[in-house]
Amino acid sequence: MDYTIKNRINDILTAHISFPNGSVNKQYKALLDLEKWNMADITLLEWNGLEEIGLVYNEENNTIEGIPTESGDHKIKLVFSVADSPKQVKVINLIINPDPRSMWKDLPSDVKDPYWKQDDVHTAGPLYGKHAIAASKRGRSHKNTGAFRDDHFELALNIKNNWSVVAVADGAGSSPFSRQGARIACEETIRFFQQYFEENREQELEEIAASDREKINLVAGQHMYQAIKHVYEQINAEAEKHAAANPALFNDKRKSILEYYHTTLIFVAFKKFDFGYLILSFGVGDCPIVLLHHDEAQLLNQLDVGEFGGGTRFITQPEIFHSKEIPVTSRFKVTILPDFSYLFLMTDGIYDPKFEVVYNLQNAAHWQQFMQDLDGNNEEKVKIDFKGDCREAARSLFDWMDFWSPGNHDDRTMVIIY
């Protein structure tokens, strides 16, 4: 072999070539820049060892691409020749990182626990002129330890005279029985309004809403106050009952028994009239209720987050009923509007990774991005078809909740009225 060609082959064999690292289950694409590598004189170029890890050499685009399937420090082989020289082999390292999702365990929760609840649920149903879909999924941080889902939701659609009620709650992670607090908060919200409609007490609201828009806020607030007082009393009754039967479980002297059941609560009760939709809303905690109509987003509750100095509040805190800092009346809201596109209720498992700050909840551009996300513009390509069967849409919402967001592995719950 010509001495010049031998030297050239040796230069290529000893040259440093590096590819960017990849990750398992994540699209990979690396351009082969032969000129940059000073290898433009290679006359034959083949690759060995790519297929075993899920990659291929795209000769047309001059790229190595695909979705890696195996993590590790892989030795791939560049088979080349210069001029008419025999084939040569150069070994190149390619690091593929493991899929971070595969590092999480999925341990079942204890079905024998008296406060056990399903790890994951989703449901859907028709409304008067609209649909409702809902899903709640146990967070990865809970799956990893076999802990319970603390989130909860309940829907009561078309209860009476086309009124509907939706309640969502997020049990505090630091409270041992918060999952039960969240369950009671949602179930008792629904139970209160079912009795409320059975007694025809909504007629007062309907008459006022049609004739006196200014007075409706005052009266609706009084009615909603009775609802949250009922919820508080029911959680308190369960706490006292459970503590009396199991005193050893309530052995932290620094906590009241209600603190073991700390949970947030948001709810809406709504109905369509000739004059439009009447929506009653309430919220305590860091779970938002957002009304989206075309490009306008309206936050229907006040979130208890950092700017209020104390972080999250809970329906199980008696002080929320007589707080001067955040009067309980400020937590009630009445909204009357001709129509709306979407009504969202979500826990912080969705809010934190997708909106991050309260400002984004009322930012039209951010909502456009979020709706595109629900329409399939996401890493997993999961699309929620709001025009199709609502049961399929609920299933898609359930799948969409598997999105990956570093550092955000809490329970995820969302209800969408559309």
Side-chain angles (χ1 to χ4, degrees):
M1 185 184 303
D2 181 87
Y3 179 76
T4 304
I5 293 179
K6 284 185 178 181
N7 283 344
R8 181 62 189 136
I9 291 172
N10 188 57
D11 288 342
I12 294 174
L13 289 173
T14 57
H16 174 72
I17 296 176
S18 63
F19 289 119
N21 295 352
S23 297
V24 171
N25 295 328
K26 191 172 184 178
Q27 186 69 42
Y28 182 84
K29 191 172 186 178
L31 178 66
L32 305 182
D33 193 344
L34 296 179
E35 291 190 3
K36 180 180 178 181
W37 295 345
N38 191 27
M39 297 180 185
D41 54 342
I42 286 179
T43 55
L44 172 70
L45 190 148
E46 298 173 350
W47 292 92
N48 290 337
L50 293 177
E51 290 78 4
E52 290 87 338
I53 56 175
L55 300 176
V56 296
Y57 170 51
N58 186 325
E59 188 172 359
E60 182 178 353
N61 297 327
N62 205 27
T63 55
I64 289 177
E65 58 188 58
I67 299 177
T69 56
E70 298 290 337
S71 63
D73 185 358
H74 301 285
K75 312 295 183 187
I76 59 175
K77 296 177 181 177
L78 167 62
V79 181
F80 70 96
S81 66
V82 177
D84 296 326
S85 70
K87 290 183 179 179
Q88 307 292 324
V89 176
K90 178 179 178 64
V91 178
I92 301 172
N93 288 350
L94 175 57
I95 297 175
I96 301 296
N97 296 313
D99 183 349
R101 304 180 199 208
S102 66
M103 304 176 75
W104 291 85
K105 299 175 185 176
D106 187 2
L107 304 176
S109 56
D110 181 7
V111 297
K112 296 181 180 178
D113 187 279
Y115 286 159
W116 177 82
K117 66 169 69 171
Q118 284 184 272
D119 292 337
D120 306 303
V121 292
H122 63 88
T123 189
L127 279 164
Y128 183 74
K130 293 188 181 296
H131 292 89
I133 60 174
S136 184
K137 180 162 284 191
R138 188 171 61 141
R140 292 187 181 89
S141 57
H142 290 175
K143 290 181 179 180
N144 200 48
T145 60
F148 302 95
R149 175 172 59 97
D150 290 329
D151 279 5
H152 205 88
F153 75 83
E154 292 288 340
L155 309 179
L157 307 179
N158 308 313
I159 299 176
K160 184 182 177 185
N161 296 330
N162 296 319
W163 275 92
S164 296
V165 183
V166 176
V168 172
D170 176 9
S174 59
S175 299
F177 306 133
S178 65
R179 62 188 178 282
Q180 185 70 358
R183 184 210 302 267
I184 295 173
C186 293
E187 291 180 347
E188 292 301 330
T189 296
I190 300 298
R191 197 185 312 279
F192 172 86
F193 278 105
Q194 286 174 328
Q195 184 65 31
Y196 177 85
F197 295 125
E198 284 299 318
E199 297 171 355
N200 298 317
R201 296 168 61 195
E202 80 283 2
Q203 290 182 359
E204 179 186 13
L205 284 180
E206 295 183 4
E207 292 170 0
I208 296 172
S211 60
D212 191 341
R213 300 292 176 90
E214 293 185 2
K215 189 178 179 183
I216 185 66
N217 290 324
L218 174 63
V219 176
Q222 293 171 344
H223 288 219
M224 284 189 278
Y225 181 85
Q226 294 170 14
I228 64 169
K229 183 170 178 287
H230 169 80
V231 168
Y232 173 86
E233 290 173 345
Q234 296 306 308
I235 298 177
N236 189 49
E238 172 61 24
E240 290 181 347
K241 176 183 174 184
H242 199 52
N246 306 277
L249 298 178
F250 295 78
N251 56 5
D252 190 338
K253 302 299 182 185
R254 298 166 298 178
K255 288 185 176 180
S256 69
I257 58 172
L258 259 179
E259 289 181 63
Y260 284 76
Y261 291 77
H262 267 344
T263 180
T264 67
L265 173 65
I266 55 175
F267 71 72
V268 292
F270 59 98
K271 178 182 175 180
K272 184 179 182 181
F273 296 88
D274 292 339
F275 56 80
Y277 280 91
L278 170 60
I279 304 173
L280 315 181
S281 56
F282 165 80
V284 59
D286 54 0
C287 304
I289 307 170
V290 179
L291 195 64
L292 189 65
H293 191 48
H294 300 312
D295 292 332
E296 294 186 8
Q298 183 181 358
L299 184 60
L300 298 191
N301 66 313
Q302 175 178 284
L303 267 66
D304 297 297
V305 288
E307 59 261 45
F308 295 108
T312 300
R313 301 287 200 278
F314 305 104
I315 191 68
T316 36
Q317 290 177 306
E319 55 265 34
I320 70 162
F321 292 89
H322 47 77
S323 170
K324 294 182 179 178
E325 179 189 15
I326 309 174
V328 70
T329 53
S330 68
R331 298 184 179 280
F332 305 125
K333 188 176 181 63
V334 177
T335 305
I336 299 175
L337 75 172
D339 198 1
F340 62 88
S341 304
Y342 300 91
L343 176 59
F344 291 87
L345 295 89
M346 66 184 79
T347 60
D348 59 351
I350 302 290
Y351 162 64
D352 284 344
K354 295 297 184 181
F355 291 91
E356 297 181 343
V357 294
V358 174
Y359 170 79
N360 287 334
L361 290 169
Q362 300 182 90
N363 181 279
H366 199 93
W367 272 99
Q368 288 178 358
Q369 180 181 343
F370 182 71
M371 295 307 296
Q372 291 172 2
D373 187 341
L374 296 180
D375 193 40
N377 186 20
N378 51 66
E379 187 177 356
E380 295 77 13
K381 307 301 181 189
V382 178
K383 175 180 178 177
I384 301 171
D385 182 5
F386 291 107
K387 296 180 180 178
D389 185 279
C390 65
R391 291 167 299 183
E392 289 299 320
R395 178 71 202 187
S396 298
L397 173 62
F398 182 77
D399 293 339
W400 175 86
M401 286 183 175
D402 282 330
F403 65 82
W404 181 260
S405 176
N408 291 296
H409 307 295
D410 198 0
D411 295 341
R412 292 169 177 171
T413 300
M414 187 156 68
V415 180
I416 308 174
I417 312 296
Y418 62 97

